[in-house]
Amino acid sequence: MSARARPPVRTPARLHRRAGRLRRTTAVPLLLLSALLATGLSLSPAAADPEPAGENLLVNPGFEAADGDGFADCWQRAGWGDNTYEYSLTADARSGDRAARLTVTDWTSGDRKIMIKETAACAPEVEPGAQYDLAVHYTSTTDNTVFTAFRHDPQQGWLYWTDLKTLPAAGTYTRAEVRTPQVPEGTDRIAWGVTVYGGGGTVTLDDAEMTAVEVEPQEPPDPGAPGARGTWEVQRMDAKARAMHFVQLHNGKVLMIAGSGNDPDRFEAGTFTSHLYDPATGEMTDVDTPEDLFCSGHVQLEDGRVLVMGGNLDYPAADGSHGYKGLKSSYVFDPATNEYTRVNDMNTGHWYPSATVLGNGDVLSLGGLDEKSEGTVTAEYFSSDEQRWLGLHEVNQTWSFWGLYPSMILLQDGRLFYSGSHVFGNGLPGTGASLYDYGTGTVTDVPGLRRKDERDQSMSVLLPPAQRQRVATFGGGNVDSNPAAHRLTDLIDLSVPDPAYTPGPDLPRGHYADGTPQKGDEGKMYVSAVILPDGTVLETGGALHNRAVPVHETSIFDPATDTFTPVAPDPEPRGYHSGSLLLPDGRVLSYGDNPGDGSYSTTLSLYSPPYLSKGPRPEIAPPASREWRYGTENRITVSGGGQITKAALIRPEAVTHSSDPNQRYVDLPMTVHGEAPGGGTEIGLNLTDNPNLAPPGWYMLFVTDANGVPSVAQWVKVEGEEEAARTLRAGTDTDAPSPRAGTGDGSGKAERGKAGNGKARGGEDRGGKHAHHRPAAEDVEAWVDGCDRSYGDPSQCVPGVFPEEVKGSAAKCRWLDGQGWRPFTVHGRDRHKLDTDRDGTACGRGDRGGPIG
């Protein structure tokens, strides 16, 4: 297959109902069975099965009672798509007289399920926050089989919840068991069952079980205890690193990229820097840096190397003839050698490009400024197979300008969600958020984002767990109009047919450097948001205005309840060119601050969240294998701490400018196997078989106990089979079913949904085809970063528009003085009237008859 035929993994033809899924279509039961046995998956015979741990909550668990339609009472026939299927009750039972059987043949798309009926009489009641052990005995002729769970929300009805475990082919009755994640808030019942997808096959079920997991009672947290709000430690770096790109490497070190560090003198001298920071020792190591990677894009590749794209070709001209210009260059940083190696150039320059890793391990990059300081409309595609950027006409082009650092989050069906978070000025035309299908070239607006033109340096994050497909967008402002940044949080559920943002809780108010508390709608831009091992999100840092007025506020957002809990704020200002990332030990590293006077903070703040003061930590023994395959159970041994309630993979961050669209928390449903031979508890962790949920690469593996205390991470590498993780199969059904509540009626009718409007931005119907010309770049303001370059030097920032409350020349000079400015040169038009004596120095002693301040 040619490189051009390798778009990201798209899965509509294999959409598991209510969830996009990638499915192998060729059954290879012997090979898969061998692989699963190698990971330690139990395939014990029925005689060795354990007794249920508690009351079985299911009605008719043995399928003995029949309903009026000739199938098992309290079990339904469900599914969708183009396939032939047959349901029956068979005498080939493990116990009793009957078992339930499903045969799927002539499969083209969709799936079929045997599920608990979604009725109050059949679906068990559950408690939010609780966990349940599910089990069933089965035989199967196919490994295209999975546990699937739905949940009932009294307000929204039945909703897809998650897939829990892939089941291998089994010629004799085999017990499959799995523990659910904690039941989400707003859930009163669940229904679950077994799904057959892909190439079809026969599955027979008998003796199902569902029991509640008993959790050891925990002491409620003491809000006055030491560490209850978390603690910060500030470190001064020996290296004068002006880094604004931080990447967590799988060897535990952090790559800090500065390039010229927003310092034109370093640019002119060709002084470009990167550093390696070791959180365990505090050691800082210099790295030879080939070009000005200031304001580049970056992402981890499947093998743990870092792909760095674009950067700064030139600083703005003093005469205003051009702004920042983008590099075409691209490099790969190898943690094994601490060296950059150049790969082929991109098709155009990119300053402030996005970088999103796809389910096949490839990388899509969009947006930024080109070599002429114009907004580039060229999409760039890096092939992981070929280790190169594809040529212009090898890439599906919509010729859309996506802005600067557009937040492009990969969804479970292979599409990208542009959340509306970006850098500099207004949002995109339309609603400000959209769904983008690279394979077809379609872009569909998504409604509901409030103040879409004030989402400059907001931050968006795919909320834990990734399986829920919910995104939160925190705060934001606008460096061009420079209003006071706001407190808005907007939430969106992207698993529903017609997703739309809905208002979330406002960010908590913080305080300013002098201790003055925020009031009213005052919020912050330059927001950092970090996924934590316990499934919450830390948000921190920020400022009220363009490179001015730092806001000290930190809180923890809980996606289970959609609430914020204020915690200890970072004592250091963290505005423009700041960021935060999760370390493998569970702490959070925050860095940077580049206010309008051009100075740069070289401090690092290390935050210990409250969970590190709640008691002893569980410990994961080094896994027998660090290479995990999609759709497999992987056994680990855990000791210490309390009862384990969560396990997850967290993708290491590569963050800059309030942007890391690849950050994600992938839930790992557990199977608890009991005491390990050498001590501790042996737990099987079930990895999704959908690479779009967990793109290939290195992840931090955490477990969390009932106290909410996480382990230190172990590193594991998620890998896919060549067929599953690399190639878009032919015959993809672009009329994917729209995911709706419920599991279908078993009628055999495929449900069809919207596949996009086929229109690229600008209204031309390209349908994902090549254009044989290269459209012009998008015109942007010369000073796209909101700074008036008639004053100071390019690293400094007199705002193009002052805050609304700052009026008059003297007030503007006082405001600038409060941001650390001192008299500065005027080398262009003095449109703010800051140089009243016209001596070439603004806000000097001779202006306004004396010193300002």
Side-chain angles (χ1 to χ4, degrees), residues 318 359 725 727 798 818 838:
T727 308
V798 171
R838 300 184 180 180

Side-chain angles (χ1 to χ4, degrees), residues 497 565 715:
T565 300
W715 287 93

Side-chain angles (χ1 to χ4, degrees), residues 405-429:
Y405 283 135
S407 178
M408 310 293 293
I409 298 172
L410 177 68
L411 301 181
Q412 63 187 359
D413 62 5
R415 293 179 299 170
L416 298 179
F417 174 56
Y418 169 60
S419 69
S421 289
H422 63 281
V423 176
F424 298 152
N426 293 338
L428 296 181

